[in-house]
């Protein structure tokens, strides 16, 4: 099993009560079970989901105390006796789906995000805001050795999720995709995946800094929802025939944009809901939904194959989404910026600081 160099204690950011804040402290290093691996996490992206988890936003309780984080990239340092296909020293990643039963109706057909008994990293089991994290061997992301662990960490949730959502939207090369919340962590990834697939993107977010970034990483157009007098018309005008985008991916963390999307999506178009604002509901006029044949659907992370495909886009050098790196000890500062909507792209934490 393990090597002598694994310490018994490690630094971690711990949510001790719902609502936060996180507490930076030393905790024991966990030991992997027979079907698990222990990963020495080097870097972890900070997803807005981690903030929802700390705040207790969702109708699903978290474990407490909780180590958050589900974009953790690192090196395998120990494995249980049943694990055969991952070696000590391999690169691997902790993603949102830490494990699933592998035996239910959904798992049997590789819809494992829908498993009724999932373990969720940084939510129902401890995640990647610690130096050593555990994952089920059949679910941890396989990361090729040539990949940079810092840059790949946000792929492990943001990248996989938007890659899947773009596929679920049915949008094709040459068509238009509107990305709502394009300046955030998932949004900036979505712009890069869509660009790699030959899809035109219309980015919606707020502020000049995000607008500049969206344009730099591939948005064909940027609509600033804080300044636009008519977002619906601006989005439609951004398509060559002014009929609106073929698909919309809604990543925003408030309810309004989910309702607005049905006003500008092209007839027969698809709205994919991905963002998870607290206490939000979908509302769309039945008349328009019927007579314009609008599809409204959800998309939730990705399965193991989606994960491998999303990582392969990155390995090929097609995905260069912007990120800033700070020490794990500064996680609470990242949450403050996130709450205010002031993060362009993603923050990554370095677990050694
Ligand atoms: P983020 O904070 O990095 O980005 C959200 C962006 O939305 C920000 O740039 C913000 O300015 C923008 N925004 C807010 N209101 C807006 C509006 N009215 N119009 C346009 N843009 C607006 O967050 P993130 O990490 O990208 O996560 C986004 C959401 O997706 C969160 O709710 C998160 O929990 C959820 N999520 C879902 C899945 C899934 O599988 N469905 C996976 C990961 C994250
Ligand atoms: Zn996430
Ligand atoms: Zn299952």
């Amino acid at each position: 099993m393990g090597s002598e160099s694994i310490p018994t204690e490690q630094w971690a950011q711990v949510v001790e009560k719902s609502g936060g804040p996180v507490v930076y402290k030393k905790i024991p290093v966990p030991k992997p079970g027979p079907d698990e691996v222990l990963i020495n996490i080097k870097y972890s992206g900070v997803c807005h989901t981690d903030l929802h988890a700390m705040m207790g936003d969702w109708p699903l309780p978290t474990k407490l105390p909780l180590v958050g984080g589900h974009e953790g990239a690192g090196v395998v340092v120990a494995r249980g006796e049943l694990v055969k296909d991952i070696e000590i020293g391999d690169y691997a990643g902790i993603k949102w789906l830490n494990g699933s039963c592998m035996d239910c109706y959904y798992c049997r057909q590789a819809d494992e995000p829908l498993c009724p008994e999932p373990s969720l990293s940084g939510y129902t089991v401890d995640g990647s805001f610690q130096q050593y994290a555990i994952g089920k061997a059949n679910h941890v992301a396989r990361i090729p050795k040539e990949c940079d662990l810092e840059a790949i960490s946000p792929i492990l949730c943001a990248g996989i999720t938007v890659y899947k959502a773009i596929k679920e939207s049915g949008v094709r090369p040459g068509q238009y995709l509107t990305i709502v919340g394009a300046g955030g962590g998932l949004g900036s990834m979505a712009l890069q995946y869509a660009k790699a697939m030959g899809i035109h993107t219309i980015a919606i977010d707020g502020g000049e800094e995000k607008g500049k970034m969206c344009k730099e990483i591939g948005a064909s157009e940027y609509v600033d929802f804080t300044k636009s007098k008519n977002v619906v018309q601006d989005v439609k005008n951004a398509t060559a025939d002014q009929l609106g985008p073929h698909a919309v991916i809604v990543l925003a963390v408030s309810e309004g944009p989910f309702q607005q999307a049905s006003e500008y999506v092209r007839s027969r178009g698809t709205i994919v809901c991905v963002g998870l604002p607290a206490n939000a509901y979908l509302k769309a006029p039945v008349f328009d939904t019927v007579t314009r044949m609008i599809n409204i659907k959800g998309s939730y992370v990705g399965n193991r194959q989606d994960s491998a495909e999303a990582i392969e886009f990155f390995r090929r050098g097609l995905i260069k989404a912007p990120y800033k790196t700070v020490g794990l000890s500064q996680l609470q500062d990242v949450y403050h910026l996130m709450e205010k909507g002031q993060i362009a792209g993603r923050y990554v934490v370095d677990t050694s600081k």
Side-chain angles (χ1 to χ4, degrees):
M1 232 198 50
S3 88
E4 309 307 310
S5 60
I6 302 169
T8 53
E9 276 205 322
Q10 58 162 341
W11 286 103
Q13 284 282 16
V14 184
V15 180
E16 297 187 330
K17 57 179 193 327
S18 196
V22 280
V23 181
Y24 188 57
K25 62 194 279 195
K26 282 205 155 179
I27 62 167
V29 171
K31 291 205 167 34
D35 59 346
E36 294 173 337
V37 294
L38 181 67
I39 302 174
N40 176 202
I41 302 293
K42 302 291 187 192
Y43 296 95
S44 182
V46 184
C47 179
H48 207 112
T49 293
D50 299 312
L51 179 58
H52 292 301
M54 181 177 80
M55 299 313 288
D57 274 356
W58 294 344
L60 177 71
T62 65
K63 91 179 257 292
L64 278 176
L66 171 72
V67 176
H70 56 276
E71 291 184 342
V75 182
V76 176
V77 291
R79 60 178 200 177
E81 67 264 26
L82 297 176
V83 180
K84 298 281 182 265
D85 65 334
I86 304 181
E87 304 299 329
I88 307 295
D90 281 358
Y91 282 1
I94 294 287
K95 53 185 183 53
W96 175 245
L97 206 61
N98 193 282
S100 68
C101 82
M102 306 307 278
D103 202 35
C104 69
Y105 171 79
Y106 301 104
C107 284
R108 287 201 306 271
Q109 51 199 318
D111 246 344
E112 62 260 11
L114 304 183
C115 178
E117 285 179 44
S119 34
L120 307 173
S121 306
Y123 206 93
T124 63
V125 296
D126 285 343
S128 53
F129 295 148
Q130 55 182 341
Q131 293 173 308
Y132 293 88
I134 282 179
K136 291 285 181 198
N138 52 21
H139 270 289
V140 293
R142 272 64 174 167
I143 301 178
K145 261 286 161 66
E146 70 232 66
C147 293
D148 178 56
L149 290 174
E150 188 174 2
I152 203 172
S153 59
I155 301 285
L156 297 170
C157 175
I160 292 167
T161 300
V162 301
Y163 172 72
K164 174 71 163 183
I166 293 172
K167 287 205 295 186
E168 288 285 322
S169 81
V171 69
R172 295 198 299 267
Q175 295 186 331
Y176 289 90
L177 173 67
T178 292
I179 298 165
V180 189
L186 268 62
S188 52
M189 283 283 172
L191 286 169
Q192 284 275 288
Y193 276 94
K195 183 181 175 197
M197 296 174 190
I199 296 160
H200 298 293
T201 47
I202 301 158
I204 309 183
D205 211 308
E208 271 164 34
E209 187 196 357
K210 289 184 186 173
K212 190 166 165 283
M213 185 201 76
C214 288
K215 285 283 186 78
E216 276 167 12
I217 63 173
S220 322
E221 295 290 338
Y222 177 67
V223 176
D224 186 335
F225 79 91
T226 63
K227 295 217 179 86
S228 167
K229 292 200 172 58
N230 189 338
V231 169
V232 172
Q233 201 53 50
D234 286 351
V235 171
K236 286 184 165 182
N237 288 348
T239 59
D241 56 11
Q242 315 217 328
L243 291 176
H246 300 79
V248 186
I249 295 184
V250 192
L251 307 166
V253 281
S254 58
E255 189 176 64
F258 286 82
Q259 319 218 350
Q260 194 173 49
S262 71
E263 294 178 51
Y264 56 69
V265 71
R266 181 176 297 240
S267 294
R268 215 184 248 294
T270 300
I271 299 166
V272 184
C273 303
V274 174
L276 288 159
N279 307 311
Y281 286 83
L282 277 167
K283 198 171 157 208
V286 170
F287 186 83
D288 278 10
T289 307
V290 172
T291 60
R292 302 211 300 108
M293 296 183 71
I294 297 169
N295 301 302
I296 303 177
K297 65 196 292 192
S299 185
Y300 181 43
V301 288
N303 68 8
R304 289 168 297 159
Q305 181 62 23
D306 299 315
S307 304
E309 291 172 12
I311 287 171
E312 178 60 8
F313 268 67
F314 176 87
R315 191 198 62 78
R316 289 166 61 200
L318 299 170
I319 310 298
K320 295 201 166 66
Y323 61 88
K324 291 193 188 98
T325 305
V326 296
L328 176 62
S329 57
Q330 290 164 270
L331 181 61
Q332 188 63 41
D333 301 336
V334 177
Y335 287 151
H336 283 312
L337 291 173
M338 189 176 266
E339 253 165 350
K340 288 185 262 173
Q342 284 174 354
I343 300 177
R346 206 37 139 203
Y347 265 92
V348 168
V349 292
D350 174 344
T351 64
S352 72
K353 295 184 205 157

